[in-house]
Amino acid sequence: MVYVKTPEEIEKIRAACAVVRDTFAYLGRHIAAGMTTKEVDTLVHDYIVQSGATPSSLGYCGFPGSACVSVNEVVVHGIPGDRVLKDGDIVSVDVTAEKDGYNGDACRTYCIGNVSPARRKLVRVTEECFFKGIEGLKAGTPLFDIGYRVQSHAEANGFGVVRSFVGHGIGRDMHEDPSVPNYGRKGTGMRLKAGMTICIEPMITQGSWRVKTLADGWTSVTEDGSAAAHYENTVLITEDGAEILTL
Ligand code: MF3
Ligand code: CO
Ligand code: CO
């Protein structure tokens, strides 16, 4: 069921998104080589709680962290632990916060120290994929135009588009309908409506787009071990455009 949010709900989602946005501003000043992924998680957790919000990921389907912290070949759902961030790593930090019963969700991929040009390009193109994805987006846009645009940009740059994970609606729940794939055929899918809030989150790989889940039941890695990047924002669809709520 796809929900169109009321103005009151949108204000609450906006407030949750502001917490997520500020968490990244804070994290950007502190994340560094030598930290463990658990230390990154603690920074995120404490910042969210101190902002009067709740980390939605903590305990979600049993997930043990407040953020997903995914290094290099880890695509998504990296469990915070004792892996140490090294010079040259890329690390995706995916943060969802709930405030006043509503959620905001975003992800950034950070470059740690001296990152190779190839990985830098992956991170840059993944961000670009998001912005390509929302080009021209407004009420009436066919949903799968987003994925079509993301996929076109990723593949034109020689990168792969992860299929097993997709974007989603967001509101009272972190994951609501509709699914928002990062691939698709132009002109197809439901028509977006003003008042819908959706997460658009390209997950892009340097090599094969195929992924597998590790024995912990969460950590998703590329099948070929190549690096992956992830970039996400919560977006509000309006009559004449799309507003990014987590920037
Ligand atoms: N934030 C993720 C998303 O973009 C989901 C987090 S999964 C959890 O959809 F288990 F960590 F909560
Ligand atoms: Co997310
Ligand atoms: Co999401």
Side-chain angles (χ1 to χ4, degrees), residues 199-226:
C199 291
I200 299 170
E201 48 180 311
M203 289 153 267
I204 306 298
T205 59
Q206 219 171 8
S208 164
W209 54 266
R210 291 178 192 281
V211 302
K212 61 180 182 190
T213 304
L214 299 186
D216 61 27
W218 280 106
T219 314
S220 167
V221 300
T222 55
E223 236 177 54
D224 64 5
S226 69

Side-chain angles (χ1 to χ4, degrees), residues 85-183:
L85 300 182
K86 296 191 317 296
D87 190 65
D89 282 348
I90 59 173
V91 55
S92 308
V93 184
D94 191 346
V95 174
T96 314
E98 183 183 322
K99 197 167 184 185
D100 214 357
Y102 287 84
N103 290 276
D105 183 9
C107 181
R108 302 287 178 262
T109 298
Y110 295 94
C111 290
I112 304 299
N114 256 311
V115 170
S116 70
R119 281 184 175 179
R120 280 191 186 278
K121 181 181 174 198
L122 174 68
V123 172
R124 173 175 58 79
V125 169
T126 302
E127 288 188 20
E128 287 170 1
C129 281
F130 169 86
F131 289 97
K132 291 282 178 192
I134 66 164
E135 250 174 40
L137 198 63
K138 60 178 183 177
T141 301
L143 176 63
F144 298 150
D145 277 15
I146 299 170
Y148 171 77
R149 290 166 180 282
V150 168
Q151 182 174 24
S152 303
H153 189 63
E155 292 179 353
N157 281 280
F159 295 136
V161 173
V162 172
R163 315 283 206 269
S164 323
F165 301 99
V166 295
H168 48 93
I170 187 166
R172 275 194 178 283
D173 291 319
M174 165 162 58
H175 293 143
E176 296 182 353
D177 287 338
S179 287
V180 183
N182 294 303
Y183 51 88

